[in-house]
């Protein structure tokens, strides 16, 4: 690099984005997110495996159902791994401290406390708060530049520009503006979709009060939040069931359905097989040549077993949609008709 105004190579820019300067400067400012034509603003799902904490997302819910309406900037503070995010009206949305994060909402006076490792940067443009992981540039999903790195000025600061090629299954490239001093992405656009995530205020190096990244008040646990959601879900299901019983019928509904089989395994020589039944694989059917030997199918349970002249049969259904006794007998008779 000849001087500070000469754009770096792609490798040098990657290094700056991933590692940043040492020491890491503080940042405060505001971020705005404009959704594209085919995107949802601020909504994102979550998954958690057994034993892991529920993910805590950094984005905030939009204040308008119109996805094309202007999104007001959220206020943010960043000191290394510590962050604070406030909604446009000043309400605190999330605080991330050294070991704990506190997630606030409008329905409770106390935040949910979770380990900092549960934080996921997603939604409302808050991905711009964190550094890009090296793994983000592995593969072909917006990892290769189109042309050389360019130079620009953004919010009065020197910055670098680069356009990243999309993978084959996506139609449009992504455009990045990267702060030359911190390596943080100041703007990420997809001009093809019309989406923009960008800093609208970006102030570097100011001393930040440690109290911004701490909470000394009462807290709730993620487990209590999960229990609350489960109770609300169960209450809603009970209310809907009660309405149906009172306004339609309180008798069990019985209907016959066609069960399309999906054969998992079969033996050409013996005729043995196992197959799922129905589009949702709610049942499973198996047969083998008739035998007095034990038959361990490896199923969690087997509800029906019977034999015909040539075959041993096994049938089970999972979940709440259990067949009636008459429908099971009808199925047995249908299968017996094939016993030739």
């Amino acid at each position: 690099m000849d001087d500070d105004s000469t754009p770096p190579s792609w490798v040098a820019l990657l290094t700056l984005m991933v590692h940043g300067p040492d020491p890491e400067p503080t940042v405060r400012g505001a971020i705005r997110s404009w959704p594209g034509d085919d995107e949802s603003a601020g909504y994102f799902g979550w998954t958690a495996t057994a034993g892991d904490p529920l993910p805590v997302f950094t984005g905030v819910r939009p204040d308008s159902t119109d996805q094309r309406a202007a999104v007001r900037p959220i206020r943010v503070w960043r000191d290394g791994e510590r962050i604070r995010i406030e909604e446009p009206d000043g309400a605190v949305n999330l605080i991330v401290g050294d070991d704990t994060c506190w997630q606030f909402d409008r329905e409770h006076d106390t935040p949910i406390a979770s380990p900092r490792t549960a934080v996921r940067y997603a939604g409302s443009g808050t991905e711009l708060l964190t550094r890009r992981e090296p793994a983000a540039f592995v593969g072909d999903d917006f990892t290769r530049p189109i042309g050389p790195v360019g130079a620009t000025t953004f919010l009065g600061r020197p910055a670098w520009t680069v356009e990243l090629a999309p993978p084959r299954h996506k139609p449009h490239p992504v455009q990045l503006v990267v702060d030359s001093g911190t390596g943080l992405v100041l703007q990420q656009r997809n001009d093809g979709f019309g989406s923009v995530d960008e800093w609208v205020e970006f102030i570097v190096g100011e001393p930040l009060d440690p109290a911004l990244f701490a909470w000394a008040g009462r807290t709730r646990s993620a487990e209590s939040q999960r229990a609350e959601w489960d109770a609300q879900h169960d209450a809603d299901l009970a209310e809907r069931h009660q309405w149906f019983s009172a306004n339609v019928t309180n008798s069990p509904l019985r209907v016959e359905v066609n069960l399309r089989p999906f054969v998992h395994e079969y033996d050409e020589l013996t005729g043995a097989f196992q197959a799922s039944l129905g589009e949702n694989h709610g049942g499973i059917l198996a047969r083998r040549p008739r035998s007095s030997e034990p038959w361990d199918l490896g199923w969690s349970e087997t509800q029906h077993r019977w034999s015909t002249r040539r075959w041993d049969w096994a049938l089970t259904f999972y979940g709440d949609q259990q067949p009636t006794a008459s429908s099971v007998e009808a199925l047995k008779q249908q299968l017996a008709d094939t016993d030739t």
Side-chain angles (χ1 to χ4, degrees):
M1 192 181 301
D2 296 333
D3 57 60
D4 292 342
S5 63
T6 303
S9 67
W10 170 237
V11 173
L13 182 58
L14 273 181
T15 302
L16 176 65
M17 293 171 65
V18 169
H19 298 291
D22 187 17
E24 184 89 7
T26 63
V27 175
R28 72 168 178 88
I31 292 173
R32 177 174 57 192
S33 179
W34 296 81
D37 293 334
D38 298 327
E39 298 181 19
S40 296
Y43 285 86
F44 29 85
W46 56 266
T47 58
T49 57
D52 288 341
L54 293 178
V56 176
F57 292 97
T58 52
V60 303
R61 295 290 184 179
D63 57 4
S64 171
T65 57
D66 182 3
Q67 296 180 6
R68 296 301 302 166
V71 179
R72 293 185 293 162
I74 57 174
R75 306 294 306 177
V76 296
W77 293 258
R78 179 182 186 273
D79 186 0
E81 297 292 331
R82 301 184 297 176
I83 64 170
R84 181 186 182 95
I85 299 174
E86 294 184 0
E87 299 189 34
D89 63 0
V92 179
N93 183 70
L94 181 67
I95 295 174
V96 180
D98 293 325
D99 302 304
T100 306
C101 67
W102 297 273
Q103 189 176 27
F104 299 77
D105 62 42
R106 302 297 182 119
E107 299 177 1
H108 301 85
D109 295 330
T110 56
I112 298 173
S114 303
R116 187 177 63 80
T117 53
V119 173
R120 302 290 184 270
Y121 288 88
S124 308
T126 55
E127 297 89 341
L128 304 184
L129 272 170
T130 188
R131 299 210 163 275
R132 303 302 168 99
E133 295 290 336
F137 297 101
V138 176
D140 67 345
D141 198 355
F142 302 112
T143 60
R144 296 176 291 105
I146 302 174
V149 176
T152 190
T153 300
F154 193 92
L155 296 177
R157 296 179 59 85
W160 312 124
T161 62
V162 66
E163 188 169 47
L164 301 179
R168 293 182 178 179
H169 63 283
K170 296 181 181 179
H172 305 298
V174 162
Q175 298 78 33
L176 301 181
V177 178
V178 182
D179 184 60
S180 66
T182 65
L184 293 173
V185 176
L186 297 175
Q187 184 189 71
Q188 177 168 306
R189 311 188 318 272
N190 190 313
D191 292 340
F193 283 122
S195 62
V196 183
D197 295 328
E198 62 184 359
W199 290 82
V200 293
E201 183 180 355
F202 188 78
I203 300 169
V204 177
E206 283 189 353
L208 298 180
D209 187 347
L212 288 169
F213 310 105
W215 175 257
R218 297 175 56 192
T219 64
R220 295 178 293 137
S221 67
E223 288 73 19
S224 67
Q225 175 70 86
R226 192 198 297 263
E228 182 179 325
W229 287 339
D230 289 345
Q232 291 173 349
H233 176 70
D234 292 345
D236 180 63
L237 289 181
E239 181 180 353
R240 293 169 186 270
H241 179 73
Q242 183 179 9
W243 180 92
F244 191 88
S245 298
N247 293 276
V248 184
T249 178
N250 61 358
S251 300
L253 297 180
R254 298 180 178 181
V255 296
E256 292 187 6
V257 297
N258 293 323
L259 298 176
R260 182 179 178 85
F262 178 84
V263 179
H264 294 284
E265 57 184 61
Y266 62 93
D267 189 320
E268 288 278 12
L269 295 178
T270 67
F273 73 85
Q274 287 196 36
S276 293
L277 300 178
E279 293 184 1
N280 297 322
H281 295 192
I284 187 166
L285 175 71
R287 82 175 182 187
R288 69 170 184 176
R290 184 163 182 170
S291 172
S292 60
E293 295 296 320
W295 192 15
D296 183 10
L297 290 160
W299 301 353
S300 59
E301 62 175 332
T302 305
Q303 296 166 340
H304 307 280
R305 287 184 186 245
W306 72 98
S307 297
T308 59
R309 184 178 61 85
R310 292 185 58 193
W311 310 107
D312 292 330
W313 294 90
L315 173 69
T316 196
F317 284 86
Y318 300 104
D320 297 332
Q321 298 180 4
Q322 296 295 318
T324 62
S326 59
S327 63
V328 171
E329 290 302 317
L331 177 60
K332 289 181 180 181
Q333 184 58 52
Q334 184 180 1
L335 295 172
D337 292 342
T338 68
D339 195 11
T340 58

